[in-house]
Amino acid sequence: MTPTPDSDLQLLTQAALFDGLTEAQLHTIQQHATLVRVPRRTFFFHQGEAATTFYLLREGQVRLSQINPEGKQVIIHLFGPGDVLAVIVVLSNAPYPLSAEAITDCVAWAWNRETAVHLMEQCPRLAINGMDMVAGRFLELQNRYRELSTERVEQRVARALIRLIHQRNGYQEQKPYPLLSLTRQDLAEMTGTTLYTVSRICSSWEQQGLLEAGREQLHIHKLEELTTIADDLRPSPPNFPPRPN
Amino acid sequence: MTPTPDSDLQLLTQAALFDGLTEAQLHTIQQHATLVRVPRRTFFFHQGEAATTFYLLREGQVRLSQINPEGKQVIIHLFGPGDVLAVIVVLSNAPYPLSAEAITDCVAWAWNRETAVHLMEQCPRLAINGMDMVAGRFLELQNRYRELSTERVEQRVARALIRLIHQRNGYQEQKPYPLLSLTRQDLAEMTGTTLYTVSRICSSWEQQGLLEAGREQLHIHKLEELTTIADDLRPSPPNFPPRPN
DNA sequence: CGCATCGTTGATCAAGCTCAAGCCGCGTGG
DNA sequence: CCACGCGGCTTGAGCTTGATCAACGATGCG
């Protein structure tokens, strides 16, 4: 951990978490921040450890996952730059309910529990922003929960890909949209299915020219088609009238 | 909507949401509150409406559910007295992402969006408490998501019952623990399965003397056994060595 | 009494999980 | 530079869980 150099203040101010704060407040916040580097395949924290720190991710990709007694993993979220790690849990001093692993080399700002609470009590705006970010995550999780309850595997995988493209590349990138450092296993753990099923689905989509599949990467050619797959409701024998309603 | 009578201030102050606030702050909050009554089978709000109001539930049971394009419902949470409704969404002025229906006659305090944001900016403590409550819900949802991903139906139903007993009756009640106003359909929508499967499971449990099943109610006799069912990992043919590890 | 809502149970069937076997590509060390 | 091994991926065969459909029973309410 090294003290944050001045040049970083710029970057800090751009984060959604700090929207609407005054110069002075930003300065205080920045003074209490430390910069951490977390190399690929190592952990920000493990499930069960005391939640002492929260992070604002500057560079890299982070996988938030929970593991159950049987050893099965579930991916709750993938984070990218600008996202906030462990805001929720750091307020109540419960243990981390899940683990955060760097999928690529990461750089993040870190604050500890006490300063976090203190800062929020000083500037309500910070608490409100935090709540807002939690809200977004909450909505996403709610939707994924509904999908897991009601949709078939193929649809869920399609949605997962769409979601990843939106949040990772922030849209702008050219077709074919790339998804890197993403294993079939990851996709399976995101959608509540198995490695095997994901593999079959990807193969089938590749044959249809929908995407190009590679080791730890996919390149999506026809996003629109994925969308129609995701929204396609057909609990019925092949060749069904599109739906009477 | 009627102005809140003074006698209610007592009750207000007990809510976890208002923990650690000063007398003065409580008074302000109370002044902006209105009391609403929502009869059984009617809605606090519907999915898709603009989120204008948030609620603190005083009496009754509320079902938070989301409905998908196909018309399938999913129950995200059941609320009881002291719980907070729609805190998350009222900050961002997005539409309600789900519907809230009274399963029994309800009484609740209500605040509108503007006053909520205003109050939180005034007393950070309120924002922090709100975040804390959201955090709890978030953790629950995360766990249910993992369960839905990794566990079999029977386990999920067992867990759902356990959870309901804890949060409804707050423990203290005598065996047999009662669960009222709870249909098989509700249980199915909570656990991501069908009415039929839940019915079969309940029948089987009843035969084993684990509980007593009735119309819209269950009386749990052996909570402990439910726990062992919930934790029972056996992805293997009957009569399997308990697990070597 | 009749209707609506809720619940039960059997028969059937398919989606997707599991297991097994083998391929491919890459990085490491001999 | 090659070979080896590991991590990731593919594909087939078989099987299980739990969904679906259908018919009927029970309960309560107006």
Side-chain angles (χ1 to χ4, degrees):
Chain A
M1 303 215 188
T2 58
T4 319
D6 275 354
S7 66
D8 282 348
L9 189 52
Q10 269 309 320
L11 279 164
L12 252 186
T13 60
Q14 292 164 16
L17 180 63
F18 301 127
D19 208 50
L21 295 187
T22 66
E23 285 290 321
Q25 290 176 324
L26 280 170
H27 192 69
T28 321
I29 288 167
Q30 185 235 3
Q31 277 187 322
H32 289 91
T34 51
L35 202 63
V36 296
R37 291 169 189 284
V38 179
R40 177 177 147 90
R41 309 242 167 148
T42 61
F43 286 76
F44 282 78
F45 49 80
H46 287 90
Q47 181 171 344
E49 291 175 0
T52 55
T53 323
F54 91 97
Y55 302 87
L56 173 58
L57 189 58
R58 209 179 102 177
E59 294 168 26
Q61 300 282 342
V62 177
R63 166 170 51 213
L64 250 211
S65 67
Q66 207 178 25
I67 197 164
N68 82 349
E70 273 172 84
K72 289 193 182 180
Q73 255 201 9
V74 171
I75 295 182
I76 300 289
H77 196 78
L78 293 184
F79 288 102
D83 282 326
V84 174
L85 266 166
V87 228
I88 321 165
V89 77
V90 91
L91 283 187
S92 52
N93 52 0
Y96 289 115
L98 28 69
S99 307
E101 179 184 0
I103 335 186
T104 66
D105 292 345
C106 287
V107 181
W109 289 285
W111 292 264
N112 69 22
R113 211 181 105 59
E114 290 75 29
T115 47
V117 174
H118 189 68
L119 288 171
M120 285 189 187
E121 274 166 349
Q122 298 303 304
C123 18
R125 189 68 214 198
L126 185 58
I128 292 178
N129 285 345
M131 206 150 146
D132 212 36
M133 303 195 74
V134 173
R137 292 267 321 280
F138 199 98
L139 292 190
E140 191 208 311
L141 192 59
Q142 244 173 35
N143 287 329
R144 283 177 60 192
Y145 184 85
R146 193 205 55 225
E147 290 164 17
L148 195 50
S149 269
T150 63
E151 291 177 358
R152 276 163 307 109
V153 171
E154 197 183 16
Q155 299 180 279
R156 303 202 305 264
V157 176
R159 280 195 209 289
L161 293 184
I162 294 169
R163 212 172 263 131
L164 282 171
I165 288 174
H166 284 207
Q167 75 179 52
R168 282 212 181 168
N169 310 341
Y171 252 134
Q172 79 277 33
E173 211 125 348
Q174 288 309 323
K175 293 189 170 198
Y177 304 102
L179 290 173
L180 309 178
S181 315
L182 182 73
T183 68
R184 305 287 182 275
Q185 178 77 35
D186 285 339
L187 267 174
E189 287 174 6
M190 277 184 251
T191 53
T193 179
T194 63
L195 157 63
Y196 309 106
T197 302
V198 170
S199 174
R200 278 180 239 275
I201 289 175
C202 287
S203 298
S204 138
W205 284 346
E206 186 166 32
Q207 282 191 352
Q208 294 169 47
L210 245 156
L211 51 73
E212 211 174 327
R215 186 195 177 82
E216 297 201 1
Q217 49 184 291
L218 298 174
H219 296 265
I220 313 295
H221 290 133
K222 306 185 181 168
L223 225 186
E224 330 74 46
E225 300 232 12
L226 276 187
T227 319
T228 70
I229 289 175
D231 294 337
D232 179 35
L233 36 103
R234 83 184 137 88
S236 42
N239 293 48
F240 190 68
R243 100 179 121 151
N245 186 9
Chain B
M1 302 214 188
T2 58
T4 317
D6 275 355
S7 65
D8 281 348
L9 188 52
Q10 269 308 320
L11 278 164
L12 250 186
T13 61
Q14 291 164 15
L17 180 63
F18 300 128
D19 208 50
L21 295 188
T22 66
E23 284 290 322
Q25 289 176 324
L26 279 171
H27 191 70
T28 321
I29 288 168
Q30 185 235 3
Q31 278 187 320
H32 289 91
T34 51
L35 201 64
V36 295
R37 291 169 189 285
V38 180
R40 177 177 149 90
R41 309 242 169 150
T42 61
F43 285 76
F44 282 78
F45 49 81
H46 288 89
Q47 182 170 344
E49 291 174 2
T52 54
T53 322
F54 92 98
Y55 302 88
L56 174 59
L57 190 58
R58 209 180 103 178
E59 295 168 24
Q61 301 282 341
V62 177
R63 166 171 50 213
L64 251 210
S65 68
Q66 207 177 27
I67 196 164
N68 83 349
E70 272 172 85
K72 290 194 180 179
Q73 255 201 10
V74 172
I75 295 181
I76 301 290
H77 196 76
L78 293 185
F79 288 103
D83 282 325
V84 175
L85 265 166
V87 229
I88 321 164
V89 77
V90 90
L91 283 186
S92 53
N93 52 0
Y96 289 116
L98 29 66
S99 308
E101 180 185 358
I103 18 185
T104 67
D105 291 345
C106 288
V107 181
W109 289 283
W111 292 264
N112 69 23
R113 211 182 106 59
E114 290 74 28
T115 46
V117 174
H118 189 66
L119 287 171
M120 286 188 187
E121 273 166 351
Q122 297 303 302
C123 19
R125 189 67 215 197
L126 184 58
I128 292 177
N129 284 346
M131 206 149 146
D132 213 35
M133 302 195 75
V134 173
R137 293 267 321 280
F138 198 98
L139 293 190
E140 190 208 312
L141 191 59
Q142 242 171 38
N143 287 329
R144 283 177 60 192
Y145 184 86
R146 193 206 54 225
E147 290 164 16
L148 195 50
S149 269
T150 62
E151 292 177 358
R152 276 163 307 108
V153 172
E154 198 183 15
Q155 299 180 279
R156 303 202 306 264
V157 176
R159 280 194 207 291
L161 293 184
I162 295 169
R163 211 172 262 131
L164 282 171
I165 288 173
H166 284 207
Q167 73 180 51
R168 282 212 182 169
N169 310 341
Y171 253 132
Q172 80 276 36
E173 210 124 350
Q174 287 308 324
K175 292 188 172 202
Y177 304 102
L179 290 173
L180 310 178
S181 316
L182 183 72
T183 68
R184 306 287 183 274
Q185 177 77 33
D186 285 339
L187 268 174
E189 287 174 7
M190 275 183 254
T191 53
T193 179
T194 62
L195 155 63
Y196 310 107
T197 302
V198 170
S199 175
R200 278 180 239 274
I201 290 174
C202 287
S203 297
S204 139
W205 284 346
E206 187 166 31
Q207 283 192 353
Q208 295 169 47
L210 244 154
L211 51 73
E212 210 175 327
R215 186 194 178 83
E216 297 201 2
Q217 50 183 292
L218 298 174
H219 296 265
I220 315 295
H221 290 131
K222 306 186 180 166
L223 226 187
E224 328 74 47
E225 300 232 13
L226 276 187
T227 318
T228 70
I229 290 175
D231 294 337
D232 178 36
L233 36 103
R234 84 183 135 89
S236 41
N239 292 48
F240 190 68
R243 102 180 120 148
N245 187 9

